[in-house]
Amino acid sequence: MTGIGLGIGIFGAAGRMGRAIATVAGEAGMTLAGGTERNMDGALPDTGLPLFPDPLALAQASDVLIDFSSPAALAGHLDACIAARKPIVIGTTGLEPEHHALIDRAAGQIAILQTGNTSLGVNLLAALVEEAGRRLGDDWDIEIVEMHHRHKVDAPSGTALLLGEAAALGRGIALADHSERGRDGITGARGVGTIGFASLRGGSVAGDHQVILATEGERIEIAHRAENRMIFARGAIKAAAWLKDQAPGRYDMKAVLGL
């Protein structure tokens, strides 16, 4: 992994992903510039990671920022990165269209990599799903099933949506116009060409995703199972090292993988 000595700043440093990223960055020989965390200052307990009083101060002290915090904090983090002219990797899920509009505008000034999942395996899976969508007709029904731990607050997961977008891209359609979620009661027959989602929550599951393509007489099932959060942290660190030298623009994990 490249990026030795790279100064990483972590928005949301006390969260599960923030702590995992700090661990992996240290193991990769990168420098931890510090982090931010709401209602905390000084240093992060247990790790000693310095906490900055505001996003701009952290951005100025870092080479690349990584954000797995919350949608509500995104605008402030983007403003800080623009002011400091620093690139940012955004792995925060639960983003709405207005958040993506903010990212698009900011990408005119800084390099931004935004993704629903930083796992290298998941993003290779997305490439396979896109190809399947391109090769198979709409007589193949597409269903995406995901399961996460009981504490996850958004559904479908960002990864499930990433896979849905990949399938839609392969078919040349807009996911927003062909998405089916939360079936309940007398829903009628499945719509032709739609992409269905089902979300399961329970226990401590880091992230399981399955894409099912089914037609008359046969079925294809492609799955990815995350055994711990370190796979996402490793992908985020790889993305940060890649993003450091990129021109302003909006990127995704496919670019990191050379897809």
Side-chain angles (χ1 to χ4, degrees), residues 56-89:
L56 179 57
L58 176 62
Q60 291 171 333
S62 306
D63 294 319
V64 183
L65 286 302
I66 300 179
D67 187 1
F68 278 83
S69 58
S70 70
L74 180 63
H77 295 166
L78 287 173
D79 287 344
C81 289
I82 291 171
R85 296 292 176 183
K86 299 295 175 65
I88 179 173
V89 175

Side-chain angles (χ1 to χ4, degrees), residues 131-244:
E131 183 66 11
R134 181 175 296 113
R135 299 287 182 176
L136 302 175
D138 62 9
D139 57 320
W140 286 77
D141 302 321
I142 300 177
E143 293 286 318
I144 299 170
V145 182
E146 54 99 349
M147 182 171 185
H148 283 81
H149 53 86
R150 63 169 62 99
H151 303 292
K152 188 167 180 60
V153 298
D154 58 304
S157 69
T159 303
L161 294 174
L162 181 152
L163 295 170
E165 290 287 0
L169 180 62
R171 283 190 166 175
I173 59 176
L175 179 62
D177 298 331
H178 296 81
S179 177
E180 285 193 8
R181 307 183 190 180
R183 300 185 184 99
D184 183 52
I186 307 301
T187 61
R190 190 185 196 283
V192 175
T194 57
I195 298 172
F197 292 86
S199 297
L200 313 179
R201 296 290 179 266
S204 58
V205 179
D208 289 354
H209 294 85
Q210 181 182 31
V211 181
I212 303 167
L213 300 102
T215 191
E216 294 295 328
E218 59 182 319
R219 184 168 70 246
I220 299 171
E221 298 178 2
I222 318 173
H224 178 276
R225 306 194 189 284
E227 297 180 359
N228 58 61
R229 286 185 182 80
M230 290 305 176
I231 66 168
F232 309 125
R234 285 193 290 270
I237 290 298
K238 186 176 181 69
W242 179 88
L243 190 64
K244 173 63 173 65

